[in-house]
């Protein structure tokens, strides 16, 4: 058997370099002049998510639901059989996690899962869940990690948004023609325990997206040890969602509000951001949020606290 050491060293070198020598962010030459005043009722460019194409709405889904290269995937934890968006197929996001290795399932298994869902290399995928859940964002992260970047969208507000718009639902299970999806991992989008233990944190931000009590160690959540990684800042994942919308549908907060919330705790775009939670489900939600905001260097710690908080060789702060 060939040694895996060169591969591991290469991956470690990539992350270390990213955290210590990240290039300065370029400016948007096409941005409007600060003096430009939009017409009444028109959204200012500065209020638009930089990667707004990653988030879609009911109107877009309805208009493109029957497109040959669009696949709608329902990743709710329950409720698919009772009614779903017509044409949607179900996926349990939990099956994408290899709990034995604290990582996403390997590329061959991942390829098989999405090929069986009818996904091809050119397929646009629309994901939806309970709205404020994190099943859809977990699948989003896994797909981007395995090379399907910029071809995945989230329905803002999830299934509640579809219901609030009084759209038809279906109990039919679509017949799926097997696709040809080939997963190609991108190690720049993932951080490992070994890498964390050797990081030069000058160019990185460790972002703990768990609850405040998990962060302080008061809530062990079944782990051997409680607390957080040294130098990690805390911003709970759910704070990205507006729970008080007029129509009762939970949706992402505005770009200005989210931008300010992250920058105020030092989560800035000229550093590598490493989110983590318990198993990188909530961390994946923050990965999506930061992608939406235009962050280009986000590499979640996939093993998260399930690995770090139960290991004997990790440094823990309370």
């Amino acid at each position: 058997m060939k040694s895996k050491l060169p591969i591991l060293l290469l991956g470690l070198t990539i992350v270390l370099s990213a955290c210590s020598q990240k290039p300065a962010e370029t400016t948007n030459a096409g941005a409007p002049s600060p003096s430009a005043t939009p017409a009444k009722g028109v959204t200012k460019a500065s209020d638009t998510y930089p990667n707004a194409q990653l988030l879609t709405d009911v109107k877009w889904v309805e208009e493109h639901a029957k497109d040959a290269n669009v696949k709608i995937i329902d990743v709710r934890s329950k409720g698919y059989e009772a009614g779903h968006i017509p044409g949607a197929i179900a996926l349990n996001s939990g099956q994408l996690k290899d709990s034995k290795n604290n990582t996403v399932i390997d590329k061959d298994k991942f390829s098989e899962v999405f090929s069986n869902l009818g996904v091809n290399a050119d397929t646009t995928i629309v994901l939806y869940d309970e709205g404020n859940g994190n099943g859809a964002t977990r699948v989003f992260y896994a797909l981007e990690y395995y090379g399907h970047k910029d071809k995945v969208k989230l329905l803002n507000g999830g299934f509640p948004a579809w219901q609030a718009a009084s759209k038809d639902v279906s109990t039919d299970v679509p017949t799926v023609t097997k696709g040809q999806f080939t997963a190609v991992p991108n190690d720049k989008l993932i951080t490992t325990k070994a890498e964390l233990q050797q990081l030069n944190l000058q160019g990185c931000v460790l972002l703990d997206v768990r609850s405040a009590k998990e962060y302080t160690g008061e809530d062990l959540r079944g782990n051997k040890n409680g607390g957080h990684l040294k130098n990690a800042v805390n911003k709970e994942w759910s704070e990205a969602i507006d729970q008080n919308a007029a129509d009762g549908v939970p949706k992402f907060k505005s770009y200005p509000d989210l931008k300010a919330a992250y920058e105020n705790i030092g989560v800035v775009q000229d550093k590598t951001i490493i989110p983590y939670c318990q198993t990188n489900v909530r961390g994946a939600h923050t990965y999506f949020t930061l992608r939406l905001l235009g962050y280009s260097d986000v590499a979640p710690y996939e093993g998260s606290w399930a690995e770090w908080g139960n290991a004997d060789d990790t440094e823990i702060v309370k």
Side-chain angles (χ1 to χ4, degrees), residues 33-298:
S33 166
S35 61
T37 303
K40 186 176 180 180
V42 176
T43 301
K44 296 184 295 182
S46 59
D47 289 344
T48 304
Y49 305 115
N51 283 328
Q53 76 280 359
L54 303 179
L55 197 62
T56 193
D57 56 20
V58 169
K59 183 176 184 292
W60 190 97
V61 174
E62 188 175 39
E63 291 175 348
H64 295 273
K66 295 183 180 180
D67 289 2
N69 285 337
V70 172
K71 187 70 63 177
I72 304 172
I73 301 180
D74 183 320
V75 295
R76 290 177 294 163
S77 58
K78 58 183 179 179
Y80 178 82
E81 295 80 4
H84 50 263
I85 294 176
I89 51 179
L91 172 66
N92 177 358
S93 62
Q95 72 182 94
L96 303 183
K97 183 78 172 184
D98 183 346
S99 57
K100 293 182 179 178
N101 298 315
N102 288 308
T103 189
V104 65
I105 57 176
D106 66 43
K107 62 181 182 180
D108 292 335
K109 292 179 180 177
F110 195 90
S111 298
E112 181 180 6
V113 168
F114 281 90
S115 291
N116 288 338
L117 292 174
V119 174
N120 296 296
D122 61 348
T123 301
T124 295
I125 298 173
V126 178
L127 304 167
Y128 71 89
D129 56 19
E130 294 86 352
N132 61 352
N134 39 35
T137 48
R138 172 60 185 170
V139 179
F140 177 93
Y141 166 70
L143 281 163
E144 291 219 326
Y145 169 67
Y146 273 127
H148 212 62
K149 194 171 183 180
D150 293 318
K151 298 174 185 176
V152 190
K153 300 175 181 290
L154 255 67
L155 173 56
N156 198 10
F159 193 63
W162 187 264
Q163 292 178 303
S166 300
K167 300 300 181 181
D168 292 338
V169 298
S170 173
T171 57
D172 295 336
V173 178
T175 300
V176 177
T177 300
K178 188 172 182 178
Q180 293 183 332
F181 181 85
T182 302
V184 180
N186 181 355
D187 288 339
K188 292 183 179 180
L189 299 184
I190 197 167
T191 303
T192 67
K193 172 172 164 280
E195 290 165 346
L196 279 175
Q197 291 176 316
Q198 300 183 50
L199 282 181
N200 172 8
L201 293 178
Q202 183 176 356
C204 293
V205 178
L206 300 179
L207 178 56
D208 188 318
V209 304
R210 301 173 299 162
S211 68
K213 289 186 177 180
E214 288 174 90
Y215 177 78
T216 61
E218 184 179 350
D219 181 3
L220 288 176
R221 201 181 174 94
N223 299 294
K224 182 169 67 174
N225 299 301
H228 56 270
L229 274 72
K230 184 178 179 180
N231 296 318
V233 295
N234 181 226
K235 171 67 69 174
E236 190 167 356
W237 69 275
S238 58
E239 292 184 31
I241 301 296
D242 182 4
Q243 306 286 357
N244 301 306
D247 59 1
V249 177
K251 293 182 178 179
F252 281 86
K253 292 179 179 178
S254 71
Y255 171 56
D257 287 348
L258 288 174
K259 182 174 184 290
Y262 285 108
E263 290 184 347
N264 286 343
I265 61 171
V267 179
V268 292
Q269 293 202 28
D270 62 352
K271 293 189 176 184
T272 300
I273 313 302
I274 304 176
Y276 73 90
C277 57
Q278 174 68 16
T279 57
N280 198 31
V281 172
R282 292 172 287 176
H285 191 281
T286 298
Y287 170 87
F288 175 83
T289 302
L290 294 177
R291 282 275 286 121
L292 186 64
L293 300 183
Y295 285 68
S296 60
D297 194 357
V298 187

